[in-house]
Amino acid sequence: MTGWQTLFYKEILRFWKVGFQTVAAPVITAILYMMIFGHVLEDRVQVYGTVSYTAFLLPGLVMMSVLQNAFANSSSSLVQSKIMGNLIFLLLTPLSHRAWFVAYVGSSVVRGMAVGAGVILATWWFARPDIVAPLWIVLFGFLGAALLGALGVIAGLWAEKFDQMAAFQNFIIMPMTFLSGVFYSIHSLPDVWQQISHLNPFFYMIDGFRYGFFGTSDVSPWLSLAIVGGALVFVSLIALHLLRIGYKIRH
């Protein structure tokens, strides 16, 4: 294997060795969300005309799990390596900053997609929405996982201890995820909050992903694709720059 493939394989093994914590636990969390919100709101919330609330909720939970776990994979790996001191062994290798980026983001995509597939399989019996455009589902799942994986690289390079990492996740990632339309359609919000939701890039990831199931979305899937793709390029360039200069990893 080449250098980036070796690091990529190492990162895959890192989360797979504790698969019950990194893959099974998020699936169980999604099941609990589905059981609670689906039971309470099934007869009270109607979206997209004929779509049941439980069916509407399923893609949102899948994408939320993909995003959160893709971010957690790259960020936690870098922070742990910095705190434990084994990052020095990677710095001694002739790997380029591009190899680091591909390995960390690639493994984040694998973990995110694995968790997403697990959530779909585990919650499918609650509601079985029609899959209208499977390519849109795969595309937005991949782009969303890659974007959060790249953002996790930035957060992992910036954080020097677990408290900082937890603050980044609790005050940025979690609010943006929960306020992106996972549990509701933004058309149910007042006009002001609809406009605010349009400023959240996470909204476009989830809305485009949901379009693949129902063929209906709050905004055009092409607009969502353009915004998510642009955000991925922007965040990736920042992550590559920080890796190139060795931000907080070379002293």
Side-chain angles (χ1 to χ4, degrees), residues 18 105 139 150 153 166 171 200:
V18 287
V105 175
L139 179 60
V153 170
F171 292 104
N200 183 0

Side-chain angles (χ1 to χ4, degrees), residues 20-172:
F20 189 81
Q21 174 186 345
T22 57
V23 178
V27 172
I28 294 174
T29 301
I31 293 174
L32 293 175
Y33 277 127
M34 178 67 77
M35 291 175 62
I36 295 171
F37 283 90
H39 173 72
V40 172
L41 300 176
E42 175 64 27
D43 298 327
R44 295 176 172 83
V45 179
Q46 191 73 24
V47 289
Y48 297 161
T50 59
V51 177
S52 68
Y53 178 74
T54 304
F56 171 85
L57 182 61
L58 189 149
L61 289 177
V62 172
M63 195 58 169
M64 182 182 73
S65 302
V66 170
L67 300 180
Q68 290 182 345
N69 284 275
F71 174 84
N73 192 74
S74 54
S75 59
S76 64
S77 179
L78 281 168
V79 170
Q80 288 175 4
S81 295
K82 289 165 69 175
I83 292 176
M84 296 176 66
N86 56 34
L87 192 64
I88 185 64
F89 298 112
L90 277 181
L91 293 172
L92 293 173
T93 65
L95 292 176
S96 68
H97 62 284
R98 296 183 185 87
W100 283 48
F101 179 81
V102 172
Y104 280 107
V105 175
S107 60
S108 297
V109 170
V110 172
R111 175 175 167 181
M113 298 293 272
V115 172
V119 173
I120 290 177
L121 293 175
T123 58
W124 194 254
W125 69 279
F126 286 97
R128 299 187 179 184
D130 296 329
I131 298 179
V132 176
L135 290 179
W136 283 101
I137 295 174
V138 175
L139 179 60
F140 275 100
F142 175 83
L143 292 178
L147 174 55
L148 268 293
L151 190 60
V153 170
I154 296 174
L157 292 173
W158 168 78
E160 296 179 344
K161 51 187 178 180
F162 289 116
D163 290 347
Q164 292 176 330
M165 192 69 262
F168 196 102
Q169 189 156 12
N170 291 333
F171 292 104
I172 298 178

Side-chain angles (χ1 to χ4, degrees), residues 2-18:
T2 60
W4 75 266
Q5 290 174 328
T6 303
L7 181 57
F8 173 74
Y9 181 64
K10 172 254 184 187
E11 288 298 308
I12 295 292
L13 288 180
R14 187 190 71 85
F15 79 78
W16 193 252
K17 286 290 186 179
V18 287

Side-chain angles (χ1 to χ4, degrees), residues 222-237:
W222 292 103
L223 174 62
S224 296
L225 180 61
I227 292 176
V228 173
L232 174 59
V233 171
F234 177 73
V235 173
S236 297
L237 289 175

